[in-house]
Amino acid sequence: MEAVTSLLAGFETALTPMNLLWALIGVTLGTLVGVLPGIGPALTVALLLPVTAKLPPVSAFIMFAGIYYGGMFGGSTTSILLNTPGESSSIITALEGNKMARRGRAAAALATAAIGSFVAGTIGTVLLTFAAPAIAEVAVQIPPSAKFALIMLAFVTISATFGSSPLRGLISLFFGLTIGLIGTDLQSGQARFTLGRPELLDGIEFVTVVIGLFAVGETLYVASRLRKDKASVIKLDGNASMTRDDWRRSWKPWLRGTALGFPFGAVPAGGAEIPTFLSYTLERKLSRHPEEFGKGAIEGVAGPEAANNASAAGVLVPLLTLGLPTSATAAILLAAFQQYGLQPGPLLFVTNADLVWGLIASLYIGNVMLLALNLPLAPVWARLLLIPRPFLYAGILVFSTVGVYSLNNSVFDLILLAIFGVIGYGMRRFDFPVTPAIIGVILGPVAESQFRTALQQSNGNPAIFVQSPLTVFILLTVLAALVVPAVLKARASRRG
């Protein structure tokens, strides 16, 4: 009941007129960036970090949460009408949803995606409401050695699951860790990797790194691949709506997708991609109309979209309770917390309860707003797909430059932005995932701090890392995550 009481207090915070306005701005922006191909919630939150630096933390995070959930809602529109998944988690939606649209059933595909997102998002938020406080109570007792091991587990699993190659993911991670080490060591006072530049003594602003790798890198990559021919957008006549038969075929996939998506989001297992594929496979096996799969089966849209949105709620569990991001957007949200001098973790529920519960309450409100925005206004969002992409990405580039310059009014920051933009382009060009690098930049200093704290508690004895059963178990899991895939790959190559 304590969680219910805290949630009601959160609604008091979230239902103030200003916070409702920020929630509406967030869900509208989120839907907008979800619809536009190539722009996701992670990139949008990164762009808004400099702009929101002077906002009250509660209002800023309510808006960020709206962008996060809205991006999941809007991504289905691009996949269904344009056959262009904005993110890898929308691939399955494009597979079946676009086929439905070509058969004249675009309205039904958009409706089952929107309503499924609402159902999954609401159930996922209910699970978050009760799971997060329980995990936070346990997490308070975790020693620094186990916290360090948990961060190592997040490093390894995220590096292994993002991108096409674990090796590329680990290289990206180590690049991010190196960037995170730049600056003055707080304990010894020694400058590290500053190359003699006084501007680097305080380290590199993570906002500059994030916007450079995400926004500028994505802009350069899109510009390099831009072609004059335009993709065909399927016209949507009328609002998104479903027949009685569509409802009958969709409600079970919504629930099954939610059951798959939330647990996968809550652990560092690659975000929403795995549960969406599992949901699609499950629905294909259980469907009474298996012959429709590959030709536009509504179950193939309903289940994966629900899994996608439930995983978005699940991602917030480790972020708020342990300070561990398990997706690109969660990593940017962690950077936003640090921008306000806050460290997500079990103590956040005590020291900033109004922020945490206001954020969770805003997820319920945002879900209702998103349903109201997406069903009747589906034709409006569809028209946004006709915006010329050069104009769109030129605006992103200008916004990125102005935002980074406004941080310190420093030309040196703009030089760093350009450097990280070129690096971000190169990472996309050669298939290196960007997310592990971002997580390395943000979590690297935290891992170093926990490592040093553990050694200080043991007077410098490294045996502290094998004295706690929990720490040993996590470190063995990290070792298994590194070794097992390599062994399986070696066996497969031998058989081949």
Side-chain angles (χ1 to χ4, degrees):
M1 290 302 295
E2 186 178 345
V4 176
T5 305
S6 300
L7 181 63
L8 292 176
F11 273 110
E12 289 183 12
T13 302
L15 287 173
T16 60
M18 281 307 298
N19 285 336
L20 281 174
L21 177 62
W22 286 117
L24 180 61
I25 291 172
V27 296
T28 306
L29 270 177
T31 306
L32 172 67
V33 300
V35 169
L36 297 173
I39 305 176
L43 191 153
T44 307
V45 174
L47 285 174
L48 290 174
L49 286 179
V51 182
T52 56
K54 295 183 180 179
L55 271 182
V58 176
S59 300
F61 279 99
I62 284 175
M63 182 177 68
F64 289 154
I67 292 171
Y68 184 33
Y69 267 28
M72 298 296 175
F73 267 74
S76 59
T77 303
T78 312
S79 301
I80 291 168
L81 298 183
L82 194 61
N83 198 24
T84 305
E87 296 184 0
S88 54
S89 56
S90 299
I91 291 174
I92 294 298
T93 305
L95 182 67
E96 293 294 337
N98 188 255
K99 296 286 197 319
M100 287 183 67
R102 292 185 183 280
R103 290 168 47 194
R105 304 203 64 220
L110 289 171
T112 193
I115 298 170
S117 296
F118 170 77
V119 170
T122 302
I123 295 175
T125 306
V126 171
L127 295 174
L128 168 67
T129 302
F130 293 97
I135 295 173
E137 287 182 12
V138 176
V140 173
Q141 305 171 11
I142 297 177
S145 59
K147 290 180 181 176
F148 171 75
L150 276 172
I151 295 174
M152 290 298 104
L153 179 62
F155 282 161
V156 171
T157 52
I158 289 171
S159 299
T161 52
F162 278 89
S164 58
S165 163
L167 179 60
R168 286 189 172 94
L170 288 171
I171 292 172
S172 174
L173 171 68
F174 281 110
F175 169 69
L177 291 173
T178 304
I179 299 301
L181 289 174
I182 294 175
T184 304
D185 180 16
L186 296 179
Q187 287 195 352
S188 67
Q190 293 293 318
R192 303 188 297 192
F193 305 115
T194 59
L195 304 176
R197 300 288 306 190
E199 296 94 340
L200 295 176
L201 288 175
D202 291 331
I204 299 176
E205 286 273 2
F206 54 79
V207 175
T208 305
V209 180
V210 165
I211 292 179
L213 292 179
F214 264 109
V216 180
E218 178 70 17
T219 300
L220 296 176
Y221 182 69
V222 170
S224 70
R225 298 168 64 88
L226 204 58
R227 297 291 182 267
K228 292 183 179 179
D229 54 314
K230 296 181 180 179
S232 58
V233 180
I234 297 174
K235 187 178 180 181
L236 176 64
D237 296 320
N239 299 333
S241 58
M242 296 170 62
T243 64
R244 182 177 295 181
D245 185 58
D246 292 334
W247 280 93
R248 182 182 59 80
R249 293 177 58 179
S250 295
W251 71 271
K252 288 182 181 178
W254 290 337
L255 297 179
R256 286 191 288 259
T258 304
L260 285 171
F262 186 84
F264 272 93
V267 297
E273 293 83 0
I274 296 174
T276 54
F277 279 92
L278 287 177
S279 174
Y280 180 77
T281 304
L282 180 64
E283 296 309 323
R284 189 167 189 168
K285 289 182 177 179
L286 297 178
S287 175
R288 295 180 179 178
H289 309 276
E291 71 282 354
E292 290 187 16
F293 279 77
K295 300 175 183 177
I298 195 168
E299 297 92 340
V301 178
E305 273 299 304
N308 187 16
N309 282 266
S311 71
V315 160
L316 295 176
V317 175
L319 176 66
L320 295 176
T321 59
L322 301 172
L324 295 178
T326 59
S327 71
T329 309
I332 308 300
L333 289 175
L334 179 58
F337 274 106
Q338 293 177 353
Q339 176 177 269
Y340 285 101
L342 303 171
Q343 180 57 47
L347 294 179
L348 192 68
F349 284 78
V350 179
T351 58
N352 294 92
D354 57 336
L355 169 61
V356 174
W357 289 106
L359 171 65
I360 293 174
S362 74
L363 297 176
Y364 291 96
I365 298 167
N367 258 323
V368 176
M369 288 181 174
L370 282 165
L371 191 65
L373 281 173
N374 278 269
L375 286 179
L377 298 180
V380 177
W381 301 120
R383 290 193 189 98
L384 293 175
L385 295 171
L386 302 175
I387 296 176
R389 297 180 79 181
F391 297 163
L392 188 64
Y393 283 95
I396 290 174
L397 199 56
V398 171
F399 199 79
S400 303
T401 306
V402 172
V404 168
Y405 184 76
S406 68
L407 292 172
N408 302 307
N409 296 329
S410 169
V411 176
F412 186 75
D413 285 349
L414 293 182
I415 295 171
L416 290 176
L417 178 70
I419 292 171
F420 284 113
V422 172
I423 293 172
Y425 163 75
M427 292 176 75
R428 287 168 174 79
R429 172 66 180 79
F430 297 103
D431 201 20
F432 284 87
V434 176
T435 301
I438 298 297
I439 289 177
V441 172
I442 297 170
L443 278 186
V446 180
E448 182 186 18
S449 173
Q450 296 294 344
F451 181 79
R452 283 179 162 177
T453 303
L455 289 178
Q456 287 170 351
Q457 289 180 351
S458 64
N459 294 320
N461 184 5
I464 187 70
F465 293 101
V466 293
Q467 290 175 353
S468 166
L470 177 61
T471 307
V472 172
F473 173 76
I474 297 172
L475 289 176
L476 287 175
T477 306
V478 171
L479 184 63
L482 284 171
V483 173
V484 172
V487 171
L488 292 177
K489 188 174 181 180
R491 285 186 176 180
S493 62
R494 285 180 183 177
R495 291 175 181 174

